[in-house]
Amino acid sequence: MGQRCHKHDVIEYDAMSRLNHPTVYKAVKMRSTLNICRKYDYDLVVIGGGSGGLACSKEAAQLGQKVAVLDYVEPSLKGTKWGLGGTCVNVGCIPKKLMHQAGLLGTAVKDAKKYGWQIPGPIQHDWVTMAEAVQNHVRSLNWGHRVQLQDKKVKYLNIKGSLVNEHTVRGLTKAGKEVGSLSIKKILTYLNVPGAMEHGVTSDDIFWLKKSPGKTTARLLTWCLSDVALECAGFLTGIGLDTTVMVRSIALRGFDQQMAGLVTDYMEAYGTKFAWECIPKRVEKLSSGALQVTWTDTKADQEHKDTYDSVLWAVGRAPETKALGLDKLGMQLNKETGKIIVGADESTSVPNIYAFGDIGEGRPELTPTAIKAGKLLARRLAGQSTELMNYDNVPTTVFTPLEYGCVGLSEEEAEKRHGKDGLEVFHAFYKPLEFTVAERDANQCYLKVVCERGGDQRILGLHFTGPNAGEVTQGFALGFQCGATYSHLLSTVGIHPTCAEELTKVNITKRSGLDATVTGC
C-alpha cells in the first residue's frame, strides 16, 4: 500500500454473542495518536463482522476512512458455521424471532377455530420446511451484508488471528497461511458436565438443524443468558415438541423478577415443563440413540434420570479474549467474565485501543447498542463528533410465548437506588381483546410503571407482558429520553382497542393494595 499521513490507525475486534433479545456483539479498536507520516494499509480495520462491527465500518467508510472488515467464524463443536453478520443475523435475533413466530402461529391456528375458521385436523408442524425458509432468509442477509460492504468500498477479508501490539495484528487464513491482519472468535460456554460436549447442541446449532430435534431439554443456567433458554424452549413448545427447561435457581436473572415469574408461569400453562433448582451431572447416549440425562434436584437432594432426543445447552457466551492476545498488551480485563474494562468513551487501559459492544464490561449485550456505539465511535475517531453512547434506559424484549418488554430499572433495582418508600409503582392486569373470543388465559398479561414517589413522579422503569411486547416497549422507550413522568403518561391518549393503551390508563398503585384488574374501558 502507499504511504498515508493521518492521526488515526484503528484496529477493531467485533466478536459475537447471544441469541435474543436480543443478541450480542463485541469489538476492540486501536488508534495511534502520533501525528506523523507512516505506511498504513487502512485507516480502520474492523475485526469481526457482527452488527456492531459492520455498522462501525460502514460509518467510517462514509466519513472518508479507508476500511477493512475481517471476519472468521469458528465452527461450533457440532460443525455449525455461518456467514457474515454475526450472532444476531445467524444464530441470534433473526432466526430466533422467525422461529418464535412459528410457535405463535401454532397458537393462532388453535385460536382460529374459535373465530370460525374451519381447519381440518390434526395440525402438524414440519421442521424441515421452517428451517429451510429461515436459513434461506439468513443466507440472503449474509449476502446483503457483503454487497453493502462492497458498495461502500469496505474490504472484506475472511481471516482470524490475534493482536501483536497496539498497531499490529497477526492473522491466519482458513488454509493456515499467515497474513498481516486477522479476527478472533467469540465462543459459547459449555457446562463442565460429562457428555455435554459430545451429545448436546447449542444455540449456535439449533437454528441450523436439518431435522427436528424431537423431545428437547433446554438447559438454563441463571448466571448466563437465561432469556435464550426460555426463548428456545418457548418456540420448541409452540411447534409441538415436548420441551423441558432445567433451571439452577431463578429464571431471567437481571430482569424484574415479578415479570420473570409471570413469563415462566405462562410458559408452564403453555405446555413447557420446568425442572427448578436442578443441576445436570452427566449425559449418556444409550444404544437406542436416546440421550439419558442425570441431574440432581438440589431442593430434595435427590438424583433423577430421564431420556431425551436432544439436549440444548443454552448457558450463554463468553468472550475468548485470551486468543486475541490482550494479555501481551497488559489490557485490564474482568477476570471472572473475561470482558474488557472500558471507559465512557469505549477506551481501554491500553492507549490507542478501544472496545465496544458486549465485550465491554457492564455493557448491554444487545445488537442495537453495539450498532449505535460503533457508529458513534467511528464518528469520534474521524473527528466528526464528540457524542458518547448513552447506555441508560435501553429497551429490550424477551421473545417467549408471552412476550416481555421492558425499559429502565427493574423494581428491585429501583428500590435499591431510591428505597421502597421513594417509589410509587402503578400496575394493572389486563386481557388482550384478541384473547377473548379465543378464550385464552390472560392471567399473566400484566404491566407496571415504576416511578419516583415525590416531585413530578419521573418514570424509572416500564414493564409489560403481552402480545407484541417489543413493539409496545419500543414506542414508550422514547419517553425515557425525554424525562417522562407519570403525568405525561396519563396525558397521552391511547389507541383503542390496543394492549399498549392500558399503559396510558394505569392508576392503581401497589401501595394501595387494591385489585389491579382492568374491568372496562
Side-chain angles (χ1 to χ4, degrees):
M1 301 298 294
Q3 187 172 6
R4 298 174 58 85
C5 300
H6 54 73
K7 291 184 179 180
H8 303 121
D9 168 40
V10 183
I11 298 173
E12 171 189 295
Y13 160 61
D14 181 14
M16 301 171 288
S17 161
R18 111 171 199 189
L19 272 180
N20 219 58
H21 234 101
T23 184
V24 217
Y25 311 87
K26 325 234 181 272
V28 175
K29 222 182 251 193
M30 291 194 287
R31 180 179 69 174
S32 168
T33 57
L34 297 176
N35 189 13
I36 59 175
C37 292
R38 294 184 58 181
K39 291 183 179 180
Y40 292 121
D41 292 335
Y42 298 98
D43 297 310
L44 174 68
V45 175
V46 178
I47 307 179
S51 299
L54 292 175
C56 181
S57 66
K58 289 184 287 186
E59 186 73 14
Q62 290 183 116
L63 294 172
Q65 303 289 294
K66 187 173 183 181
V67 184
V69 168
L70 286 60
D71 185 66
Y72 180 85
V73 179
E74 195 74 46
S76 74
L77 292 173
K78 294 297 180 182
T80 304
K81 54 185 178 181
W82 52 86
L84 188 63
T87 298
C88 175
V89 167
N90 295 283
V91 291
C93 312
I94 300 301
K96 172 192 70 179
K97 181 72 180 292
L98 292 173
M99 291 191 179
H100 168 62
Q101 178 65 12
L104 294 181
L105 288 173
T107 301
V109 169
K110 297 175 184 176
D111 289 351
K113 296 180 180 180
K114 297 281 187 177
Y115 279 92
W117 285 97
Q118 301 300 307
I119 301 175
I123 303 297
Q124 291 184 326
H125 180 266
D126 180 60
W127 177 278
V128 174
T129 300
M130 175 190 70
E132 285 182 353
V134 170
Q135 291 161 15
N136 285 339
H137 177 68
V138 170
R139 290 188 184 100
S140 74
L141 296 177
N142 297 149
W143 176 251
H145 283 308
R146 296 189 68 163
V147 170
Q148 289 174 20
L149 292 179
Q150 185 176 1
D151 288 347
K152 290 182 168 55
K153 295 181 171 54
V154 176
K155 180 69 174 178
Y156 166 61
L157 300 170
N158 185 217
I159 54 179
K160 62 178 179 177
S162 60
L163 301 174
V164 177
N165 56 44
E166 67 269 27
H167 299 294
T168 308
V169 290
R170 178 184 295 116
L172 293 174
T173 65
K174 184 178 180 180
K177 180 181 178 181
E178 185 169 328
V179 293
S181 5
L182 69 155
S183 70
I184 185 93
K185 65 179 178 180
K186 170 93 166 46
I187 64 166
L188 183 75
T189 304
Y190 271 86
L191 293 176
N192 185 20
V193 173
M197 297 173 67
E198 299 92 328
H199 306 308
V201 297
T202 70
S203 55
D204 281 352
D205 308 303
I206 190 70
F207 302 112
W208 292 91
L209 294 179
K210 299 301 183 183
K211 63 179 182 179
S212 173
K215 181 181 178 184
T216 303
T217 296
R219 171 59 181 163
L220 165 61
L221 292 184
T222 57
W223 60 74
C224 296
L225 301 180
S226 55
D227 50 328
V228 176
L230 294 186
E231 290 170 330
C232 288
F235 75 70
L236 291 170
T237 301
I239 63 175
L241 301 184
D242 183 354
T243 308
T244 301
V245 181
M246 192 172 289
V247 188
R248 179 175 181 176
S249 54
I250 61 173
L252 296 178
R253 184 177 297 278
F255 288 89
D256 187 288
Q257 283 302 292
Q258 180 189 11
M259 308 305 291
L262 293 170
V263 167
T264 54
D265 285 349
Y266 185 91
M267 289 184 67
E268 286 187 294
Y270 188 69
T272 305
K273 302 180 181 69
F274 283 82
W276 295 99
E277 298 184 42
C278 294
I279 301 175
K281 293 185 66 177
R282 60 185 174 274
V283 181
E284 300 166 293
K285 192 167 187 176
L286 305 179
S287 58
S288 64
L291 300 180
Q292 180 174 273
V293 181
T294 303
W295 70 88
T296 299
D297 180 339
T298 60
K299 292 178 294 183
D301 193 25
Q302 295 178 341
E303 186 172 287
H304 299 277
K305 294 181 181 180
D306 202 350
T307 57
Y308 301 91
D309 295 325
S310 301
V311 177
L312 169 64
W313 303 105
V315 301
R317 298 172 183 270
E320 194 172 328
T321 42
K322 291 181 180 179
L324 189 57
L326 301 182
D327 53 335
K328 299 176 182 178
L329 305 179
M331 183 171 293
Q332 186 178 0
L333 306 176
N334 181 313
K335 293 182 179 179
E336 293 184 2
T337 65
K339 294 188 176 186
I340 299 171
I341 305 299
V342 291
D345 62 348
E346 325 301 348
S347 61
T348 70
S349 60
V350 179
N352 310 319
I353 301 182
Y354 295 79
F356 71 87
D358 61 345
I359 201 171
E361 180 62 33
R363 298 305 195 220
E365 296 183 343
L366 298 169
T367 302
T369 55
I371 291 173
K372 188 169 183 62
K375 288 182 177 180
L376 291 175
L377 182 53
R379 292 170 193 168
R380 292 197 302 274
L381 292 177
Q384 300 295 311
S385 172
T386 59
E387 182 183 357
L388 299 176
M389 176 65 189
N390 178 9
Y391 290 101
D392 292 330
N393 299 321
V394 173
T396 190
T397 293
V398 182
F399 290 100
T400 38
L402 184 69
E403 296 178 6
Y404 165 37
C406 60
V407 57
L409 303 180
S410 66
E411 187 174 353
E412 293 90 347
E413 184 60 31
E415 195 171 302
K416 285 181 183 178
R417 298 189 190 187
H418 299 271
K420 193 168 186 176
D421 291 337
L423 301 178
E424 197 70 89
V425 180
F426 298 89
H427 67 148
F429 286 93
Y430 69 98
K431 188 163 189 174
L433 184 62
E434 51 266 48
F435 280 27
T436 55
V437 172
E439 299 178 317
R440 287 173 59 183
D441 183 7
N443 285 332
Q444 287 79 37
C445 291
Y446 176 77
L447 59 91
K448 69 176 172 182
V449 183
V450 182
C451 304
E452 290 180 340
R453 192 177 183 188
D456 294 332
Q457 291 189 293
R458 180 170 62 95
I459 301 176
L460 303 172
L462 184 148
H463 303 265
F464 178 93
T465 53
N468 305 302
E471 310 295 344
V472 172
T473 308
Q474 181 68 81
F476 283 100
L478 173 62
F480 279 72
Q481 303 305 315
C482 305
T485 65
Y486 177 62
S487 61
H488 288 142
L489 192 63
L490 289 187
S491 65
T492 300
V493 178
I495 300 173
H496 187 69
T498 64
C499 296
E501 174 191 20
E502 301 300 336
L503 281 159
T504 69
K505 302 188 300 182
V506 63
N507 63 88
I508 302 297
T509 67
K510 279 192 171 183
R511 190 183 307 278
S512 71
L514 297 175
D515 184 359
T517 304
V518 175
T519 56
C521 294

